Amino acid sequence: MINIRRITIKNFRQYKNVDLKFNNKTGLNLFIGKNGMGKSNFLNAICWCLYEKQPFKFHEDEKKLLNEEASVKNKYDEVKVELEVGMDDKIFLFKRTKRESQQSTSIVMIKQDEDWVAVENPRIIINNFLPESVSKFFLFDGEAVQNLYRGNYAINLKDGVWCVSDVLLLDNALEHVESTYSEVKKRISKDDPKTENLDKIVNDLISEKSEIETKKLKNEEAHKKLTEQLNQLENKFKNYDKYREQQKIKNQLKEDIKEVGERLKEYQKQINDLVIEYAPFWFLKEELIETGKRINSIGIKGELPPKIKSTFIEELIEKKRCICGTIINKDDKAYKNLLALKNEVSPFSDRIFLIEDKVSINSLIKDLSQKIPEDITKIRFNRAKDRKNLDSLQTRLKEIEQSLIKAPEEEVGNIQSTINKTKEEIEKLLKEIGEQSFRIEQLKAEIKEKEEELNRLNRKKEGLKAENEKSNFLEEARDKIEFIRSKIIEQVRQSVSLNTDKYFKELIWKKDEFEKVSFTENYEVEVIKSGEKVSSLKILSTGEMKVLSFATIKALALLSGFNDMPLFIDGPLENLDKEVEVNFLKLLPSFIKNKQVFIFSLDKNAIIEFGKKNVNKENFYLLARENQYRSTVIKQFH
Amino acid sequence: MNKVDSKYPQFIRIDRKIKEKYLEPLISTPSSQFYKREQGEVYFIAAALGFKNKLRMKTEKNIDVRTYHGLNDQYKLLIRVIALSDTKYDYNLLSDGSKTLRILEECANGGMSLLYDKIFSKGGDFSLEDELFGDNQK
């Protein structure tokens, strides 16, 4: 059980000096005051004392914390709020003071015997009394309470549920875990070597190397086989070496014979050409000689035509020109001379051949006697030489052919061809093997390099093992905390929903109309009114909405774990019509039973009447102006 | 070409039968020494042999062997040597181309069979070369 034993306010806004002692551990303490008397600032004073916050609205002219009267007298005077609180069997004093231009100071003391002793961890005590997060469910503005269900109220409800779920510790833990996790991850990410790509590269290289090695092995086997095959073939072919040698000689002889044969043919052709050309003259050599003599003889006799041809003389006569080119007449001596010359020449004109024949015959006879025989002799000599040569070549060829080993040409050819092919294949294989060996060496070097790099990185990775374990642990812890947190919040939501329904039904005067009020998982309110399920809150009147808000706040307060914490309500009847006010006030005692409640209200008749009937005189207060400085005093209501 | 020469007949001729029987086999038989030689070359050898061996034969029905005017000077000289020798050097004959060539033609007709016999009768052993130059230097 918690109760407010005493509240002392000094120099806090309107309050110059307030010192209230409360003897009732439960029940209502009613404060009536007009606007501006400091009802909200009373709650602000309590919040300021506990949290150094002033969440309730105040007028612009109340900006200064220090009381106006005190400020006039001594602007450095102290502002002080003290709460003496009974918590179970202990008594604590929460005290906050502040002076102009200074930070406020807070102190929490515990009463030991008659002395006040400062506690070591004031924050813990404050949180045990009323944590700031849930304070809004114990100190609230009645006017503002309706705002809980205004606009996007789901956020407000969710926020409320979160506040009372007491998951702050979990949230703090989660935040801490998240932040540590993020730092660890960052460290890992910064230091953790990326080995995946390298792993893949190494694996690819190893795979390529293995593939090439397999191919190389196959090639080496093939090479071995072919080499054996080649050796066998070459051994076999050795037997044919002599044959090949003889074959070579034979072929050379054939070539030589062919060449000599060609030359002989040429000689024969030359001789034939000469023989056929000169044969007629050779047969008639005597007749040629005789004819030559005869022509010489008639030449000597002058029976050959002159060297001037008759045709030439005839042409001169026809054109009437002298031999010297001069034009002449028929009467001219020169013309007559030409006619005489023509007559002189004409008897031998048919012998014109003989002039040239005389020369030709001499030359021909000379050729037949000397040149042709010489040419023929020369060719015959060469021919005889080549004939001998040919005979010798043919003899040798014959000998070779006789001594030639009997070897089937086809077989030898096939072996030779197979040997050549095998050699080519072996060469090709050796080339491939060479290339493969080179590539394997390259790959080995690359693999070695990459593996060294990988090992280095793995060693580095090993060094990060602890960090990784830490990261995993943090991840697990985060998940677990989140799970627990969401579980708690969900449970609280369900409880708030159930209790809201309970309190709403307790408070609402139209009990018959409302069957159920509940929150969905999305914090939307569903109301079953007159047998109809409605999701919209528009069906609720202002008063019903206020009741719902109070019910929710009470449910939240209950779930906060501080249910026996005193309640401070500012203006519970604000914005309510008369009928609702009456109904609300009727239900108020049941709403606040078993706890200490402080209500600050305007001086409305309804509440005054209510106070007179339901509140002890010593717990019924009036807030009033004291002097020109607008300081408020709190006195018994009479 | 002189004025007289131009009046010579256009072709030298041979008896058709002689040509078919001797000349053509002489130049178309592979074993013949005159295989693939010109008709004119064989013709003049035959004419020389005909004249030398006094083998004359008139033409019954002649056929052209080749053009007269396409002959070289040496063959033309041979024609005149044969004609002059045959006529005991009647130089006036030379102005009569037809007569001159007829002597040649008759000699060729006569000599062609002799040549044919020489070439083919000895089983191909005959050699004009040996005939002319002897075979001592073979």
Side-chain angles (χ1 to χ4, degrees), chain A residues 274-467:
Chain A
L274 283 170
V275 166
I276 291 169
E277 187 183 347
Y278 286 99
F281 305 99
W282 199 271
F283 288 132
L284 298 178
K285 195 176 170 185
E286 288 170 7
E287 284 75 10
L288 274 170
I289 293 167
E290 182 57 30
T291 306
K293 281 180 187 170
R294 295 273 182 165
I295 292 170
N296 270 338
S297 163
I298 58 170
I300 292 163
K301 287 179 190 171
E303 290 174 359
L304 279 177
K307 286 188 181 171
I308 300 169
K309 288 185 178 178
S310 60
T311 49
F312 175 61
I313 298 163
E314 282 163 6
E315 198 179 318
L316 289 172
I317 291 166
E318 194 184 324
K319 289 185 178 176
K320 294 179 182 165
R321 276 183 190 273
C322 180
I323 293 173
C324 65
T326 317
I327 295 175
I328 50 177
N329 292 320
K330 285 184 176 178
D331 301 329
D332 287 347
K333 195 181 174 183
Y335 186 77
K336 286 170 186 167
N337 285 343
L338 280 173
L339 287 174
L341 189 60
K342 188 193 166 196
N343 290 332
E344 194 182 330
V345 167
S346 57
F348 306 108
S349 59
D350 293 341
R351 299 180 184 182
I352 189 76
F353 299 112
L354 301 177
I355 298 165
E356 285 161 12
D357 287 352
K358 190 178 151 187
V359 180
S360 298
I361 285 169
N362 287 336
S363 163
L364 195 54
I365 289 168
K366 202 176 173 185
D367 283 351
L368 288 171
S369 314
Q370 198 178 336
K371 188 178 177 294
I372 304 301
E374 275 176 13
D375 286 350
I376 291 283
T377 305
K378 206 172 168 182
I379 296 168
R380 276 182 152 189
F381 175 77
N382 288 333
R383 186 178 65 180
K385 202 171 137 193
D386 269 346
R387 275 182 178 163
K388 264 188 189 173
N389 202 2
L390 184 65
D391 285 345
S392 156
L393 288 170
Q394 280 171 338
T395 310
R396 280 182 65 199
L397 180 63
K398 209 172 173 184
E399 285 166 3
I400 288 279
E401 279 176 339
Q402 278 168 358
S403 66
L404 202 61
I405 291 168
K406 298 292 173 205
E409 189 77 32
E410 199 182 332
E411 192 184 329
V412 177
N414 283 343
I415 292 171
Q416 184 63 64
S417 154
T418 315
I419 285 173
N420 290 342
K421 273 186 193 166
T422 312
K423 277 182 179 171
E424 275 172 25
E425 278 177 44
I426 286 172
E427 204 172 316
K428 198 177 153 196
L429 279 173
L430 282 174
K431 195 181 165 198
E432 271 180 35
I433 290 168
E435 283 169 357
Q436 284 159 346
S437 299
F438 179 69
R439 182 65 189 138
I440 287 168
E441 287 310 311
Q442 269 187 335
L443 286 169
K444 274 184 188 169
E446 272 181 61
I447 290 168
K448 194 180 168 192
E449 189 187 319
K450 300 286 179 203
E451 276 179 343
E452 277 171 7
E453 173 71 3
L454 194 60
N455 288 339
R456 193 179 65 76
L457 295 178
N458 279 335
R459 281 198 294 278
K460 199 173 176 187
K461 216 172 192 177
E462 192 65 29
L464 284 172
K465 201 176 170 185
E467 289 286 4

Side-chain angles (χ1 to χ4, degrees), chain A residues 271-273 275 280-284 286-287 290 294 350 352-354 357 361 364 377 380 383-384, chain B residues 2 33 37 48 51-52 74 77-78 80-82 85 89 91 95 128-130 132-134 137-138:
Chain A
I271 289 172
N272 257 6
D273 287 349
V275 166
F281 305 99
W282 199 271
F283 288 132
L284 298 178
E286 288 170 7
E287 284 75 10
E290 182 57 30
R294 295 273 182 165
D350 293 341
I352 189 76
F353 299 112
L354 301 177
D357 287 352
I361 285 169
L364 195 54
T377 305
R380 276 182 152 189
R383 186 178 65 180
Chain B
N2 61 48
Q33 193 173 351
R37 304 294 302 206
F51 180 78
K52 195 73 183 171
Q74 284 194 348
L77 168 67
L78 192 77
R80 288 192 287 276
V81 168
I82 290 172
S85 302
Y89 301 97
Y91 297 111
S95 59
L128 201 56
E129 178 197 341
D130 295 345
L132 300 180
F133 302 103
Q137 282 192 64
K138 271 188 176 179

